[in-house]
Amino acid sequence: MAPSYVFGFLRGASICMRSHPAIIRARMPAGLRTMATNKPVDSLFSDLTSSVDKKRAAGKETANNNVAVAEEGDSGVIQYVEPEKDSKLQEFLNPEPLISVDTLLTPLKKEIYLANVAKNGFFKNMDLVKLKDDNSYTLNLSQKEIEALEPSIYLRSWRIKGSIKKTNIVLRALKNLPLKKAITQLHFMEKKVARDLSEMLERGVEDAQKMNYDVDDLYVAESWVHTDGHWMKRVDCKGRGRAGVMTFKWVSVRFLLKTKQTQRRLKYLASQRANNKDVRTFVSKGKIRGNAPGFYRW
């Protein structure tokens, strides 16, 4: 058999041997054996390692074949759909706004509730209202039911780069501010998280227009920040051979926007508490003079 040239790596060094192929395979370690062949090779490791370019070309051909099969209507192949054209994805990312009065109340209760709000400017429990059928009704709702039925917009963010402590500083500055004024304040804040929060509140303006709410009546009623705890960690190299851990924090923010109807109700409840508050006096409610002893004191 004609001698053949084999190149390989043995103990970190490149060698060239001219010997019988069987002897070469016997001398080299099992993990680094190469097959001696006279065929032209595309890789340094001959037939054991296929060419990377060939793999890439085969992958492209497979992808093209899959696309072609998918176009023919084969249900077994996963078809690529653009995110903008995926109806289920868009429905999940941008759900339709839900008006609680239409879904949580029966037709009669809804009519009583709306008449109560039109009369008082907010819902007042056990207030007698008269409907179009000349009948008078009262409606009694719990505190949670009243809060759920009031016009509100719930905003939720995805993961935002920042910490809870820094984000909470911005959220405290937006407490009870009108929606448009809160957006203006965020535009002029130097905090990095302010840009993401302003985009959230601008989405609230769009949702208000879809639900036929007056944007000028909306204000930031509640806001809170939390984290899922899945933070990215990297090595922080320091001097003198020391090292620490760098933590890249991510947070998520929620907003609850409400209208002036809620403000009027809260103001009424505060006045009721003030009227029902006991008057503070320094005179005790007991007897000024104690029990008479059984004898006279001269």
Side-chain angles (χ1 to χ4, degrees):
M1 179 181 292
S4 60
Y5 295 90
V6 178
F7 293 89
F9 290 98
L10 184 60
R11 296 180 183 177
S14 177
I15 61 173
C16 175
M17 293 180 290
R18 183 175 182 179
S19 179
H20 196 274
I23 299 175
I24 295 174
R25 288 194 296 270
R27 291 178 180 176
M28 296 183 66
L32 300 176
R33 291 177 184 173
T34 58
M35 298 178 63
T37 176
N38 293 327
K39 297 184 297 181
V41 295
D42 297 332
S43 174
L44 180 64
F45 297 99
S46 184
D47 294 339
L48 294 182
T49 305
S50 60
S51 176
V52 178
D53 296 334
K54 285 186 176 181
K55 282 186 177 181
R56 292 176 180 174
K60 291 181 179 179
E61 292 178 0
T62 305
N64 294 333
N65 293 336
N66 291 340
V67 172
V69 173
E71 291 177 354
E72 293 175 2
D74 188 1
S75 60
V77 180
I78 300 176
Q79 301 182 11
Y80 175 76
V81 180
E82 296 182 2
E84 294 78 7
K85 298 180 180 179
D86 192 347
S87 59
K88 293 185 177 180
L89 177 62
Q90 295 300 325
E91 183 179 356
F92 174 76
L93 296 178
N94 304 308
E96 290 294 330
L98 176 67
I99 300 178
S100 57
V101 178
D102 298 336
T103 56
L104 302 180
L105 294 179
T106 60
L108 179 59
K109 286 187 177 181
K110 176 185 175 182
E111 191 175 356
I112 299 171
Y113 177 83
L114 295 178
N116 194 325
V117 172
K119 176 183 176 181
N120 303 312
F122 59 92
F123 178 78
K124 187 184 293 186
N125 254 338
M126 299 303 294
D127 190 23
L128 190 65
V129 294
K130 191 174 183 179
L131 300 183
K132 296 180 180 179
D133 57 357
D134 294 336
N135 293 327
S136 299
Y137 299 91
T138 59
L139 183 61
N140 187 17
L141 299 176
S142 65
Q143 184 70 21
K144 291 185 178 180
E145 289 174 342
I146 295 174
E147 293 177 356
L149 292 173
E150 287 177 342
S152 60
I153 297 177
Y154 179 72
L155 300 175
R156 180 182 65 177
S157 74
W158 303 110
R159 304 184 77 191
I160 299 176
K161 185 72 173 64
S163 65
I164 295 178
K165 184 176 180 180
K166 295 178 181 178
T167 307
N168 206 18
I169 295 174
V170 181
L171 295 182
R172 284 201 299 266
L174 305 178
K175 179 65 175 178
N176 293 329
L177 281 181
L179 178 58
K180 291 185 177 180
K181 189 173 182 180
I183 296 175
T184 304
Q185 292 293 330
L186 291 173
H187 285 172
F188 290 95
M189 281 189 180
E190 296 182 357
K191 295 291 185 180
K192 188 182 296 184
V193 73
R195 176 166 183 164
D196 297 320
L197 298 182
S198 64
E199 293 177 358
M200 287 182 60
L201 295 183
E202 288 172 358
R203 290 207 317 265
V205 175
E206 297 177 359
D207 293 343
Q209 295 173 353
K210 292 179 182 178
M211 303 173 71
N212 297 325
Y213 290 163
D214 189 1
V215 181
D216 296 331
D217 288 347
L218 293 174
Y219 75 100
V220 181
E222 297 180 22
S223 61
W224 57 96
V225 56
H226 68 278
T227 177
D228 54 3
H230 296 289
W231 294 347
M232 189 186 304
K233 295 183 178 181
R234 293 292 183 267
V235 179
D236 183 13
C237 300
K238 303 180 182 295
R240 300 185 179 182
R242 298 176 299 168
V245 178
M246 289 189 299
T247 305
F248 298 91
K249 302 178 181 179
W250 301 81
V251 297
S252 182
V253 182
R254 305 287 188 267
F255 278 111
L256 184 61
L257 308 179
K258 293 196 173 184
T259 61
K260 291 182 179 180
Q261 177 180 336
T262 305
Q263 290 181 329
R264 287 190 290 264
R265 179 180 61 85
L266 296 177
K267 186 178 180 180
Y268 169 76
L269 294 177
S271 64
Q272 290 296 105
R273 286 193 297 266
N275 295 335
N276 298 332
K277 190 175 182 181
D278 295 336
V279 180
R280 295 185 59 184
T281 60
F282 293 98
V283 180
S284 63
K285 295 182 180 179
K287 296 180 180 179
I288 297 176
R289 181 180 177 182
N291 297 328
F295 54 88
Y296 290 102
R297 290 182 180 179
W298 301 98

